[in-house]
Amino acid sequence: MSAKQQTWFTEYQTDSLSLGLRIDQILLAEKTPFQHLLVAETETYGRLLALDGAVQTTIQDEFVYHEMITHVPLFMLDAPRKVAVIGGGDGGSIREILKHPSVQEAHLIEIDARVVEAARRFLPELSAALDDPRAHVHIANGIDWVREARDFDVIIVDSTDPVGAAAGLFQPSFYQSIAAALNPHGILVAQSESPFLHLALIKDMIAGMKTAFSVVRPYVAPVPTYPSGYWSFLMASHRPLSPSLRCRTDRIDTRYWTPEMQSAAFALPRFMEDLLP
Ligand code: AG3
């Protein structure tokens, strides 16, 4: 066996669980002011971006996560115009948001400039969208940025896990700032980790969102390279949610999202349904 075949990236997902990906090449490994940043070429899932040892995105499975964190909230509205993504420095969420013709402004608020730079250099499939004239990149702390933001239609929290710099993105006070930054029809979506591994966290996030929104609904999608492979998202709003009719008529180019998936993603297994208030 050659040395190359013995190089693995391992994410230690919990104290007793890991995911291993054999890698062909490490393209970038550096310590930024915020975290450790790695870009590598994996054999099974293509290019990988990891932060502090946690998989953020791979070229082969990123479409599921990025389509579902964006199209599901955007298709709840007839004409979303102003959208913000907190985190998501790779650009994948912005790429999907810009597929909606009504969108006039898509703001990316990423704390770590090095993540955006690495994505621009090594993940053009995701980051090219950041050059669109409707995209606005802010290198800033999302918690501070949201406090000043107003009149957004959709705010998406595309964060890392609730540790380090991202911990504040899981706090009730952050959801309250988001509620104030959204217009009355506005929608919040946050990635909410794995139902198999982080059920207590999901429960706390729902309670936190309930302090600021009347409606909070979980939905799910498979993301093979995230812990357990089964991922959740929480959607919150000030009013009842139902898909816009344009969900069936707007033709957008997707690989996972379909009009049927827009509803199907909200069908929850019993162990998650029991989470709901
Ligand atoms: N944000 C979700 C990452 C969470 C994955 N957690 C982990 N691997 N432990 C990803 C950002 C993609 N735009």
Side-chain angles (χ1 to χ4, degrees), residues 83-88 93-94 97 107-110 155-158:
V83 183
V85 176
I86 313 293
S93 293
I94 296 287
I97 289 163
H107 295 267
L108 178 81
I109 302 89
E110 166 62 56
I155 296 180
I156 292 170
V157 185
D158 183 5

Side-chain angles (χ1 to χ4, degrees), residues 11 54-57 65-66 88 90 93 158-161 191 193 225-227 231:
E11 172 174 344
V55 174
Q56 298 304 308
T57 207
Y65 177 89
H66 289 128
D90 49 78
S93 293
D158 183 5
S159 69
T160 54
D161 301 334
Q191 74 87 0
E193 308 281 309
T225 58
Y226 287 174
W231 214 245

Side-chain angles (χ1 to χ4, degrees), residues 109-181:
I109 302 89
E110 166 62 56
I111 199 166
D112 192 342
R114 298 298 294 154
V115 173
V116 178
E117 287 161 22
R120 284 192 190 275
R121 181 152 164 229
F122 295 109
L123 302 169
E125 301 88 337
L126 286 81
S127 60
L130 299 176
D131 295 328
D132 186 288
R134 294 172 294 159
H136 304 274
V137 179
H138 312 266
I139 302 300
N141 179 320
I143 296 171
D144 299 335
W145 192 89
V146 152
R147 275 197 209 109
E148 312 293 318
R150 289 294 175 268
D151 200 32
F152 275 82
D153 296 299
V154 178
I155 296 180
I156 292 170
V157 185
D158 183 5
S159 69
T160 54
D161 301 334
V163 284
L169 304 178
F170 291 77
Q171 294 305 313
S173 55
F174 180 57
Y175 303 137
Q176 289 152 16
S177 306
I178 291 180

Side-chain angles (χ1 to χ4, degrees), residues 26-41:
I26 292 177
L27 298 163
L28 179 70
E30 71 167 77
K31 181 101 192 64
T32 78
F34 296 95
Q35 54 211 337
H36 184 266
L37 166 60
L38 174 83
V39 181
E41 193 71 47

